Amino acid sequence: MAVVMGYADRRSLRAGETIAIKVSAEGVESYTAEVVRLIAPDVGPPPHAYPYRADPVDSPANGPHPARVQPLVLGSYVEGVTADAFAGRAPFTVTLRLLPTLLSGGPRVLVSTLDGGRAAGVEIALDDDGTLLVEAAGPDGPTRWRSALSCPTDGWSALAIAIDPADGRVAASVTGLPGHRLDPAAVASDEGRLAGPLRLAPGSLRLAAGRDADGNPAGVFNGRLERPRWLAGWSDEAERLALCRLAPDRAAPRPAVADWDFARAIDSERAVDVSGNGHDGVLHNMPARGVTGSLWDTGEIDWRANPAHYGAIHFPDHDLIDAGWENDFTVTAGADWPSGCYAVRLSAGEAEFFVPFFVRPPAGQRQADAVFLVPTCTYSAYANLTVRITGQWNELIHGRLTVLDETDLLLLSHPGLGKSTYDNHTDGSIVLYSSLDRPVTNFRPKGRIYKFCQDMLIIAWAEAAGFDLDILTDEDLHREGGAALAGYRTVLTGSHPEYWSTPMLDALEGWLRQGGRLMYLGGNGFFWRTAYHPDRPSAVEVRRTGMERIWAGGAGEQVFSSVPEPGGSWSRVGRPPQMIAGVGYITQGFDASAPYFRRPDADNPRAAFILEGVPDRVIGDFGILMGGAAGYEIDRYDRKLGSPAHALVLASSGGHSNLFDLMVGSIVDILPSTDPDAPDPLRADMVFFETPGGGAVFSVGSIAWSGSLGWNAGDNPIARITANVLTRFNDPAPFAMS
């Protein structure tokens, strides 16, 4: 069966700039590339959705290309440097602390200089049951010692191994580190011999992985490693046990060939060697940093306050932050290309895959008064979401059987594509980092209506209604700050702008204070704090706390490793969504959407322009997203969380099913109200308010809003309200504060 997949080296470019497209095609000799401008997603037939529209664009990239299969190399590890120091016949001792989390499929490598052909080097690993193994290249090929020692998966251990390459002697000691456990601390030693003399020729040292015949990572360790050291000289049992007891924040008692202190440069992709010999390592596929180590005593919950307690790195065998594929061809944006959503459509027989990208106007030459902010940060957080397919609770929260499409099946058939920040690694640890630097199956204009498809419904409406929109991505806003919004009167969000970095939120808030106008056309927006890694600017980091317990990180691990900021929601750091959008997330439900019902504030003269031509009491009892304009994930006005006192609540949804009761964001919001006339707390609110500086905010508080815009070919109250607001917001006349 033919399969074609690809991705771009970045998502955003201007006229004259070039992106590289990386492709892997299976089962075919060639594939076809076609650059298209995406206008409307393929979500269903008219008249209740705009017809699919992907306009061809002239490009030298169009046409057939030779196919090749590019590998997906999974697993995180540390690559050391090539050095004579790890070779020769001199005895040495390796020490480290470790917390294995999954040992099946072993051996799982701790330290290795063994080459892919097993012709030179040494490797220290754990077998499926935690048994310590040492393998090396001997005079007649590989030689292995299987010890009588083991390291459990339910706690930290310290390990010291002495090796004499001249005669093959090996001796090891293991001690348990119970911490706050009441288990007895195991202490054991063992000795053995490899067939010597060992061949330890110069080679690259790896931590947490070995090598296969092609040099790719093999036997990737699942778990945490702390303070690996390669020390000069043989250690007897007393010395080994002393090394096991040596705290990782203490210097070694003998000269070190290499001494990697993972408590250093936690916000980088480096493993710092403090021996003075310059053997820094490079982290591959972003293993988790800022995680607790063996010294953590609950006294601090921020790695910045006591880095020694966070001197571990967590290595999963399923990490993939960047596929690292080679370029197949490039696409250069033409000077006549309007700002908008584009894609390279890859096809081979019945196989099809889209690689979306976004074209901005030339610098300093905006083409419209309004700009659509593409939530690429949120796309990254959800990239290759697997739990939606495999989660045991999917049917419960959806109220129906899980329905799969072709892209879901592609993800299941290619688990090497990596996971989203809502998924777990094979060892059960939560995925903390994600990016679009790999094929992403749920970032496309076809198939199940999800994220990018939902946002394209807004683009399709604007095109059909005659509104010009420039395009800006989250990554642009993060890098450029408020300058990216300069000159624009109106910002339109996507349907689910959930993840925001501090520079992004600061830029939007500052622009609003200067008179900008915000149309928040979604739900569950401005919710989670996110960080972009300084060494890898396309990689996002997510650390959830609070109500999202199934996706929460470990105890004491709520601070980003990428930037010196706490993770969690924006509400937990005093900047709830209500402060910027007037509404904030309350609940979600995926069985049926509901309409809005007009509220008394709708008759306020300040809101007359919004509801002009919409006299209905019931608004939005239609839509392709579960039959209504208010659903999926919904937000409401809440004065105590920062909704402006002068904001008008124009309409509120009602009649949601009891599935919405399952995912309430705050138990306080479902306690019985003392006001019998109070609206249902589980609701979406349509809100409007003016801001200092002559600006304004209009919020709909619902992801499903976008699915109602195209109903009846765009002739409907939801589209009319949206057009009314955008027309007035694009008018330079300032708004007066109430």
Side-chain angles (χ1 to χ4, degrees):
M1 183 179 72
V3 173
V4 60
M5 301 180 291
Y7 66 99
D9 64 341
R10 57 191 176 119
R11 262 61 55 195
S12 176
L13 70 161
R14 299 184 188 269
E17 295 179 345
T18 298
I19 59 171
I21 307 298
K22 305 152 187 288
V23 181
S24 179
E26 305 169 11
V28 294
E29 294 184 357
S30 66
Y31 63 88
T32 299
E34 180 187 24
V35 180
V36 296
R37 184 183 177 202
L38 298 172
I39 304 296
D42 185 8
V43 295
H48 299 321
Y50 295 107
Y52 173 62
R53 185 175 164 192
D55 296 350
V57 176
D58 287 337
S59 170
N62 292 341
H65 295 266
R68 59 173 170 171
V69 176
Q70 300 214 56
L72 292 164
V73 181
L74 300 179
S76 55
Y77 59 98
V78 176
E79 185 79 58
V81 296
T82 300
D84 292 340
F86 304 115
R89 297 289 177 86
F92 60 90
T93 301
V94 173
T95 72
L96 52 81
R97 292 190 172 193
L98 68 158
L99 175 61
T101 52
L102 181 68
L103 292 169
S104 62
R108 299 291 182 173
V109 178
L110 304 176
V111 180
S112 180
T113 64
L114 200 58
D115 63 28
R118 327 301 273 183
V122 63
E123 185 169 277
I124 302 168
L126 300 180
D127 211 345
D128 284 359
D129 58 359
T131 299
L132 176 66
L133 305 174
V134 178
E135 182 174 347
D140 300 315
T143 175
R144 175 182 287 188
W145 173 60
R146 182 181 179 87
S147 77
L149 308 178
S150 65
C151 298
T153 58
D154 58 356
W156 281 95
S157 300
L159 176 64
I161 303 172
I163 299 176
D164 188 343
D167 59 11
R169 282 189 304 147
V170 183
S173 297
V174 174
T175 64
L177 302 172
H180 292 286
R181 291 176 177 267
L182 298 180
D183 301 335
V187 178
S189 298
D190 192 19
E191 297 186 8
R193 188 175 292 274
L194 298 164
L198 306 181
R199 294 171 52 86
L200 303 187
S204 176
L205 182 143
R206 278 184 183 172
L207 303 172
R211 294 170 184 77
D212 65 13
D214 297 321
N216 293 320
V220 177
F221 179 70
N222 283 301
R224 301 186 179 188
L225 299 182
E226 183 176 34
R227 199 66 188 259
R229 312 185 208 224
W230 186 299
L231 306 177
W234 176 270
S235 298
D236 61 24
E237 182 177 20
E239 292 172 316
R240 295 195 306 272
L241 292 175
L243 288 171
C244 287
R245 292 189 295 268
L246 180 68
D249 59 346
R250 296 290 184 262
R254 64 172 65 189
V257 177
D259 185 350
W260 294 280
D261 186 355
F262 294 164
R264 308 282 185 100
I266 287 175
D267 59 352
S268 76
E269 292 190 279
R270 291 187 300 123
V272 177
D273 173 27
V274 297
S275 70
N277 295 320
H279 295 153
D280 285 3
V282 177
L283 276 62
H284 288 256
N285 273 329
M286 289 187 71
R289 306 200 72 171
V291 296
T292 56
S294 64
L295 296 181
W296 189 65
D297 60 4
T298 75
E300 292 289 348
I301 58 172
D302 185 340
W303 61 263
R304 298 168 298 175
N306 194 346
H309 284 209
Y310 290 82
I313 297 179
H314 193 123
F315 299 91
D317 66 356
H318 210 80
D319 269 337
L320 181 67
I321 200 67
D322 186 338
W325 287 355
E326 296 179 358
N327 299 340
D328 282 79
F329 57 89
T330 60
V331 174
T332 300
D336 58 341
W337 291 15
S339 180
C341 302
Y342 291 76
V344 177
R345 177 181 176 269
L346 305 171
S347 61
E350 296 183 357
E352 181 181 59
F353 198 93
F354 286 85
V355 181
F357 61 95
F358 307 96
V359 175
R360 300 173 63 185
Q365 300 179 38
R366 64 179 178 83
Q367 298 168 349
D369 291 326
V371 62
F372 183 81
L373 182 60
V374 182
T376 50
C377 191
T378 298
Y379 298 163
S380 294
Y382 283 89
N384 290 335
L385 178 73
T386 305
V387 72
R388 191 206 74 85
I389 309 169
T390 61
Q392 297 178 348
W393 36 261
N394 281 325
E395 283 78 15
L396 174 65
I397 67 169
H398 286 83
R400 64 181 186 278
L401 295 176
T402 299
V403 178
L404 305 183
D405 64 13
E406 290 183 1
T407 50
D408 293 325
L409 297 175
L410 177 62
L411 182 59
L412 290 175
S413 65
H414 289 75
L417 291 173
K419 298 185 177 184
S420 77
T421 63
Y422 287 84
D423 294 313
N424 296 89
H425 293 294
T426 51
D427 68 351
S429 60
I430 192 68
V431 177
L432 298 179
Y433 313 100
S434 183
S435 83
L436 300 175
D437 292 336
R438 52 188 168 131
V440 177
T441 64
N442 55 352
F443 181 29
R444 76 280 195 245
K446 288 187 173 183
R448 185 168 49 85
I449 310 175
Y450 187 79
K451 297 293 182 291
F452 182 50
C453 271
Q454 291 167 340
D455 295 339
M456 286 298 303
L457 294 171
I458 300 173
I459 298 293
W461 164 80
E463 177 79 12
F467 289 102
D468 293 328
L469 298 178
D470 282 350
I471 293 292
L472 183 72
T473 71
D474 283 351
E475 296 166 54
D476 300 323
L477 187 60
H478 175 84
R479 287 192 301 268
E480 300 172 20
L485 299 175
Y488 289 110
R489 294 198 182 100
T490 308
V491 166
L492 292 80
T493 74
S495 62
H496 193 186
E498 183 177 7
Y499 289 86
W500 286 73
S501 71
T502 297
M504 287 165 55
L505 196 61
D506 286 348
L508 182 62
E509 181 182 320
W511 174 80
L512 282 171
R513 291 186 183 279
Q514 296 171 9
R517 293 92 186 267
L518 172 66
M519 293 180 67
Y520 170 37
L521 300 181
N524 192 17
F526 314 100
F527 193 85
W528 291 114
R529 300 194 69 170
T530 314
Y532 283 91
H533 198 284
D535 293 346
R536 189 177 291 276
S538 62
V540 299
E541 180 179 3
V542 177
R543 302 219 178 195
R544 299 183 190 85
T545 59
M547 65 182 183
E548 303 283 5
R549 291 191 177 184
I550 60 174
W551 293 305
E557 297 174 5
Q558 285 78 51
V559 175
F560 294 125
S561 64
S562 304
V563 297
E565 300 174 3
S569 69
W570 278 105
S571 294
R572 290 175 66 88
V573 294
R575 295 179 73 176
Q578 289 86 346
M579 287 184 172
I580 198 163
V583 295
Y585 172 76
I586 178 62
T587 191
Q588 62 190 33
F590 306 103
D591 57 336
S593 297
Y596 293 83
F597 297 88
R598 196 178 184 98
R599 295 275 294 273
D601 279 353
D603 298 325
N604 190 301
R606 293 162 51 203
F609 74 95
I610 298 174
L611 294 165
E612 183 179 353
V614 184
D616 317 62
R617 174 182 174 270
V618 179
I619 305 171
D621 54 348
F622 51 83
I624 62 173
L625 296 180
M626 301 301 171
Y632 274 51
E633 301 184 25
I634 57 176
D635 305 357
R636 48 164 269 205
Y637 178 94
D638 195 329
R639 179 73 184 117
K640 67 180 180 294
L641 288 178
S643 297
H646 68 290
L648 301 176
V649 180
L650 309 176
S652 299
S653 66
H656 293 287
S657 76
N658 60 3
L659 286 182
F660 282 74
D661 295 333
L662 294 175
M663 304 295 288
V664 177
S666 171
I667 190 66
V668 173
D669 294 307
I670 60 171
L671 293 174
S673 173
T674 58
D675 180 1
D677 298 321
D680 187 337
L682 303 186
R683 67 181 191 270
D685 285 333
M686 187 191 308
V687 167
F688 166 76
F689 61 94
E690 302 88 351
T691 61
V697 173
F698 172 75
S699 296
V700 302
S702 165
I703 288 179
W705 182 274
S706 63
S708 300
L709 287 168
W711 195 263
N712 192 31
D715 184 11
N716 66 75
I718 296 298
R720 193 166 301 120
I721 289 171
T722 310
N724 289 343
V725 175
L726 183 52
T727 299
R728 174 61 183 93
F729 277 24
N730 281 344
D731 185 335
F735 286 88
M737 285 291 292
S738 170

